[in-house]
Amino acid sequence: MSAVATNQVSRIPSSNRPSAEPKARRDVLAGWGRYPFAECDLYRPEKLAELQAVVARNSRSLIPRGAGRAYGDAALNDQNRVVNLERLNRMLAFDAETGVLRAEAGVTIAEIIDVFMPRGFFPPVTPGTRFVTLGGSLAADVHGKNHHRASSLAAHVTSLDLMLASGEIRRCSREENADLFRATVGGMGLTGVILELELKLKPIPSAWIEGELIRTANLDQAFDAFERADEKYDYSVAWIDCAGGRGTLGRCAINAGNFAAREALWSRAAQEPYRIAPRFPLAVPFELPAIALNSFTVNGFNTFYYAFSRPSAHRFFDWRWFFYPLDSIRNWNRIHGRRGFVQYQCVWPLAESRAGLSETLEAISRSRRGSPLTVLKKFGAQDGMLSFPMPGYTLAIDFPVTDGLFEFLDEIDQMVLKRGGRVYLAKDARMRPEVFRAMYPNLPRWQSIKAKADPENRFSSSLSRRLRIDPE
Amino acid sequence: MLKVLILGATSPIARGLAMRFATDGARLYLAARDPHEARRIADDLEVRAGAPALAGAFDAEDFSSHEEFLRNAVGELGGLDGVIVCFGAHAEEERAQVEPHAALSEIAQNFTGAVSLITLVARHMEAQDTGFIIVIGSVAGERGRARNYVYGSSKGALHLFAQGLRGRLWKTAVHVMTVKLGTVDTRMTWGREGVLLSISPERAADLIYRAYRRKSEVVYVPGRWRFIMGGVRLIPERQFKRLSL
Ligand SMILES: Cc1cc2nc3c(=O)[nH]c(=O)nc-3n(C[C@H](O)[C@H](O)[C@H](O)COP(=O)(O)OP(=O)(O)OC[C@H]3O[C@@H](n4cnc5c(N)ncnc54)[C@H](O)[C@@H]3O)c2cc1C
Ligand SMILES: NC(=O)c1ccc[n+]([C@@H]2O[C@H](COP(=O)([O-])OP(=O)(O)OC[C@H]3O[C@@H](n4cnc5c(N)ncnc54)[C@H](OP(=O)(O)O)[C@@H]3O)[C@@H](O)[C@H]2O)c1
């Protein structure tokens, strides 16, 4: 019907176009944690041919960037080039039979929900914010509250198109260029630019989550409750209190649920199962003094903890509240004050999780550095080379940047490492290279694939230099 | 079903307009210099709005191809109710200020190319006595400025051309709308210094679409530019030429 076939690869710009590469904007960028900042030459192509020119016509170091929701320096490239993919956000094909969506890397999880929730589909995996791009999410191989059932995002991606440093576009899947596929998911943008990918969406019966909020008084109870919840529910996550003293350390509010069957909904919702009234977003207008943090998050925790009077409350959750409690407060990252913050997320193997968690929580609680509100979650099976998850428990906690923080976190690193755990690159801004190396044993294999795909090491970032990920 | 041709469809402003027309059920033909890129945008419209869209190639500077291009596009669309003229170029202003062929090329991309295409479109619409033509101009066309006068003069000429056409067609049911666009956050302004009051392309598309639905004839987008340009026009030339605008 149309003049041009869909799957043709775009050509380099025609000769009447300026031959110079597209214009860059000098920008000071940061990740979501607002630490560190880096001065970069930022490009934002709106066409494939423009992207190709950015990638292939200049040999200076380059790193792709999505929505900038990684916390640390993954999408930064100090004194070098960064290419923002947000304008390459076309949805290219959707098959309602199979739920497979083909879309460009700049499409966000929020856009997918807007377009497909009314048709009865939801992203198969989503991080705790929906304002992330598909490219950024796949490059970090993100996990969601359903990791124990559904694994990470890559498990639902059947193929991806990768632009290499030469400008050449290569289709990668588990069958075709399988090595490059495995090195690119979780590869933090270092193998090339993900242009588009094929993702299998999850059919859902409604937009509501039916589940419960379980309160536990300590860690042992929490572990038991997690085991039980994960048998019953697709989604589960716990908010855990790590400020409290002896009595309250490890208090948890576990949130678990499944998408609700239409029959379970009350009559008005059942008539329009995918409709939920819009809400007005709140905003944090500027950086608050660091003092504000404690009361903000303590209250946050108490809100979760005491939200329901009965210890186990069966009920329906609005999907936004359930999956994205923080998305309703725009720029909430400013509450941690001017120096910014880092989020520390680690995981322990299952057998070490109980011991690892309590020793770490105690150390954090003694240090009084952490935000009192942290997130605990159980992971299931995981595939991949640099992907973060492993079967076991993961903890994520915010730390405002203060004097001595990094030394303190180095100590925590050692506690995690000695139990065979690891730290998440998408949240990291400060880990040491030797620690990283020990935590990610697949690195040498990854490096040999990277060296083949990017022999001149053109794709590198502040993170890759700090952690010496790049092949030597 | 409304049949709409978009010229310069790879502009993000054009893409935003295409989305609004498609959501309201129009059938679209997306024409651009890079037809593969236009095809991707058409695919996006199909997925998001469920409306099939056509895509094809045209070059504003290639005058001799316009008649055939338009005949084919109208044929494929099965008629023509509206045209959005959204192409334009500003990237080579510095070169255009010192090299005649670069200046003439910029003027062809912003003005004479549009004249050629709009003239053909107007003939078609006058004959069928109905239709609309949306012409994307610029506040840069309101006063010649050192920084962008090649671009500005071509957009200014485009405004006058559209104005005259509106005068010729007022007795018919053909709606000619001139959009005087302020700064929009697109490739055109990315990385350029002194860009103020920029709005997103989605917002621009929204305001243009609303003006079209109101049947506006000349519209500033966003509206505050009416007052800003009113002020800018009042500055005496002697002073104005000294301002580094
Ligand atoms: C409030 C909040 C909650 C979060 N919750 C979770 C969670 O539950 N689970 C989880 O896993 N993560 C979580 N994250 C982290 C977030 O999901 C990841 O950092 C994700 O990578 C961010 O995507 P982005 O589009 O913002 O990418 P960016 O932050 O811009 O980039 C992240 C990485 O992806 C690379 N990249 C970006 N685009 C491309 C591309 N097109 N091709 C190749 N590489 C690319 C970059 O180079 C960089 O290394 C959370 C973050 C926030 C702010
Ligand atoms: N951005 C602003 O601040 C601003 C302000 C006022 C007015 N405008 C006007 O708004 C319109 C859209 O611009 P934009 O900001 O969205 O920038 P843009 O993305 O660069 O859009 C310009 C479009 O014109 C096309 N084009 C250029 N020369 C062409 C030619 N010879 N033949 C066919 N197509 C050609 C481009 O196609 P290619 O992709 O092939 O280059 C592109 O699709 C333009 O008319 C512009 O003048 C923009």
Side-chain angles (χ1 to χ4, degrees):
Chain A
M1 190 162 85
S2 58
V4 188
T6 307
N7 56 2
Q8 253 168 303
V9 167
S10 185
R11 68 205 156 103
I12 298 276
S14 61
S15 55
N16 59 352
R17 220 96 48 95
S19 56
E21 59 170 303
K23 224 187 260 172
R25 189 168 98 181
R26 194 74 177 167
D27 243 336
V28 177
L29 300 175
W32 188 247
R34 304 169 69 77
Y35 174 90
F37 282 89
E39 204 181 348
C40 314
D41 287 324
L42 182 65
Y43 301 84
R44 192 190 59 191
E46 292 175 338
K47 300 172 182 111
L48 271 186
E50 260 182 281
L51 173 66
Q52 218 152 15
V54 171
V55 170
R57 288 208 203 155
N58 185 327
S59 57
R60 267 175 70 211
S61 166
L62 179 70
I63 195 73
R65 181 178 173 96
R69 252 52 175 200
Y71 280 76
D73 53 1
L76 304 182
N77 205 2
D78 196 31
Q79 304 309 322
N80 276 295
R81 305 190 304 147
V82 175
V83 60
N84 178 317
L85 273 292
E86 285 178 298
R87 289 278 166 108
L88 292 174
N89 67 338
R90 276 83 51 108
M91 297 185 180
L92 300 170
F94 180 66
D95 182 342
E97 294 285 301
T98 61
V100 172
L101 170 70
R102 182 158 200 94
E104 289 183 329
V107 168
T108 63
I109 296 280
E111 285 178 286
I112 292 180
I113 296 172
D114 281 353
V115 173
F116 292 103
M117 186 172 258
R119 303 184 205 175
F121 290 94
F122 196 73
V125 164
T126 170
T129 171
R130 61 189 185 279
F131 302 122
V132 293
T133 66
L134 286 179
S137 302
L138 190 58
D141 196 5
V142 298
H143 55 268
K145 300 188 197 336
N146 56 350
H147 189 280
H148 60 283
R149 293 262 172 102
S151 194
S152 61
L153 183 66
H156 307 269
V157 171
T158 46
S159 97
L160 62 88
D161 282 7
L162 187 71
M163 187 179 283
L164 302 180
S166 59
E168 182 199 335
I169 297 168
R170 215 171 274 175
R171 184 149 296 181
C172 308
S173 66
R174 289 179 184 79
E175 292 79 41
E176 198 180 343
N177 297 309
D179 271 357
L180 202 48
F181 181 87
R182 279 166 48 83
T184 298
V185 306
M188 303 310 284
L190 296 166
T191 56
V193 183
I194 300 167
L195 295 179
E196 55 186 73
L197 51 91
E198 227 166 59
L199 176 71
K200 200 163 158 39
L201 303 184
K202 169 180 172 153
I204 50 169
S206 76
W208 295 91
I209 298 291
E210 183 181 12
E212 52 188 307
L213 188 113
I214 308 155
R215 291 196 284 164
T216 67
N218 57 44
L219 275 185
D220 287 324
Q221 282 184 16
F223 272 62
D224 284 347
F226 249 117
E227 300 294 331
R228 269 180 282 120
D230 284 3
E231 270 168 35
K232 208 161 140 199
Y233 295 114
D234 285 350
Y235 299 99
S236 65
V237 69
W239 302 83
I240 173 167
D241 183 356
C242 74
R246 239 173 226 138
T248 55
L249 183 66
R251 269 195 320 175
C252 277
I254 301 177
N255 227 239
N258 293 321
F259 276 103
R262 208 164 297 184
E263 306 78 62
L265 298 174
W266 57 105
S267 66
R268 234 185 54 233
Q271 271 163 20
E272 289 183 285
Y274 300 115
R275 218 183 96 89
I276 287 177
R279 276 188 314 201
F280 292 104
L282 304 171
V284 177
F286 45 80
E287 289 151 327
L288 297 179
I291 320 281
L293 169 72
N294 275 0
S295 56
F296 183 90
T297 42
V298 169
N299 288 335
F301 181 81
N302 288 336
T303 307
F304 276 98
Y305 195 72
Y306 295 112
F308 309 93
S309 49
R310 283 166 297 141
S312 171
H314 169 273
R315 60 163 283 173
F316 293 95
F317 302 98
D318 173 332
W319 64 270
R320 289 163 304 195
W321 191 91
F322 187 81
F323 288 105
Y324 311 110
L326 290 168
D327 279 357
S328 57
I329 310 165
R330 203 166 296 150
N331 298 330
W332 65 262
N333 56 341
R334 292 174 176 171
I335 65 164
H336 290 282
R338 276 193 197 289
R339 290 179 72 182
F341 68 106
V342 293
Q343 183 170 94
Y344 189 83
Q345 183 170 2
C346 60
V347 58
W348 296 271
L350 205 47
E352 297 287 336
S353 289
R354 176 68 183 80
L357 189 62
S358 57
E359 94 186 331
T360 306
L361 280 182
E362 271 164 31
I364 291 170
S365 155
R366 268 197 314 272
S367 79
R368 302 186 164 276
R369 290 177 181 276
S371 122
L373 178 61
T374 63
V375 173
L376 180 67
K377 157 89 205 132
K378 189 175 171 209
F379 283 155
Q382 178 66 41
D383 191 23
M385 298 186 88
L386 291 188
S387 295
F388 162 69
M390 64 170 75
Y393 280 80
T394 180
L395 179 76
I397 172 164
D398 290 351
F399 290 95
V401 174
T402 49
D403 296 336
L405 174 67
F406 295 162
E407 290 78 1
F408 172 72
L409 291 179
D410 286 342
E411 287 166 27
I412 304 289
D413 279 349
Q414 292 304 331
M415 292 162 70
V416 171
L417 180 58
K418 86 171 182 246
R419 295 186 184 276
R422 63 170 76 115
V423 168
Y424 192 8
L425 295 184
K427 311 276 174 91
D428 181 51
R430 34 64 47 191
M431 202 187 343
R432 291 174 185 278
E434 60 282 4
V435 173
F436 162 71
R437 225 157 260 262
M439 287 178 172
Y440 287 82
N442 287 327
L443 183 67
R445 255 176 65 227
W446 181 88
Q447 284 175 328
S448 72
I449 299 168
K450 150 97 176 165
K452 261 185 251 154
D454 182 15
E456 292 168 39
N457 195 35
R458 283 199 196 173
F459 289 105
S460 59
S461 61
S462 293
L463 175 133
S464 79
R465 282 187 295 276
R466 175 170 59 78
L467 294 177
R468 292 195 226 119
I469 299 181
D470 307 327
E472 256 102 65
Chain B
M1 193 190 275
L2 209 59
K3 298 173 188 92
V4 181
L5 169 65
I6 302 188
L7 300 168
T10 55
S11 142
I13 302 164
R15 184 180 165 202
L17 280 165
M19 187 66 198
R20 277 152 189 84
F21 276 98
T23 306
D24 282 356
R27 185 171 155 80
L28 300 173
Y29 189 108
L30 308 184
R33 217 164 15 173
D34 184 340
H36 302 296
E37 204 63 42
R39 184 63 250 163
R40 294 175 89 81
I41 294 168
D43 289 342
D44 182 67
L45 292 176
E46 291 196 32
V47 175
R48 291 188 201 235
L54 303 164
F58 88 106
D59 190 334
E61 285 184 272
D62 186 2
F63 305 122
S64 62
S65 68
H66 291 170
E67 194 147 9
E68 195 194 335
F69 156 75
L70 207 63
R71 196 173 333 107
N72 290 341
V74 174
E76 276 194 67
L77 266 179
L80 187 65
D81 303 303
V83 173
I84 301 170
V85 180
C86 199
F87 56 88
H90 188 192
E92 298 216 77
E93 179 73 24
E94 273 171 38
R95 210 151 68 80
Q97 293 193 2
V98 290
E99 284 179 31
H101 72 268
L104 294 175
S105 162
E106 190 156 321
I107 284 169
Q109 293 184 52
N110 288 311
F111 180 54
T112 45
V115 167
S116 165
L117 284 155
I118 294 171
T119 302
L120 293 167
V121 166
R123 206 157 78 190
H124 179 96
M125 289 188 177
E126 193 177 20
Q128 69 186 20
D129 193 37
T130 174
F132 66 87
I133 305 174
I134 299 175
V135 180
I136 309 292
S138 167
V139 293
E142 299 264 277
R143 191 157 190 183
R145 297 190 291 136
R147 193 178 276 183
N148 65 2
Y149 64 88
V150 180
Y151 174 77
S153 62
S154 60
K155 285 291 187 186
L158 186 62
H159 297 166
L160 290 179
F161 181 82
Q163 188 173 42
L165 183 67
R166 191 159 38 241
R168 177 159 83 81
L169 295 180
W170 77 271
K171 285 184 194 139
T172 71
V174 181
H175 170 208
V176 179
M177 179 167 98
T178 309
V179 178
K180 297 189 174 173
L181 200 53
T183 38
V184 184
D185 180 21
T186 68
R187 182 171 66 131
M188 216 174 244
T189 49
W190 181 258
R192 185 178 302 155
E193 301 212 341
V195 174
L196 296 172
L197 304 173
S198 212
I199 60 170
S200 74
E202 291 75 31
R203 172 108 181 106
D206 218 36
L207 293 170
I208 295 167
Y209 192 65
R210 274 194 244 164
Y212 152 76
R213 296 296 299 256
R214 284 199 307 271
K215 296 219 159 229
S216 291
E217 308 208 300
V218 179
V219 61
Y220 285 83
V221 170
R224 57 177 175 253
W225 284 97
R226 175 184 295 280
F227 304 101
I228 297 171
M229 294 323 290
V232 166
R233 274 195 307 267
L234 287 177
I235 304 171
E237 192 67 12
R238 229 178 261 281
Q239 271 81 51
F240 189 74
K241 71 174 185 207
R242 290 168 212 269
L243 298 174
S244 57
L245 286 170

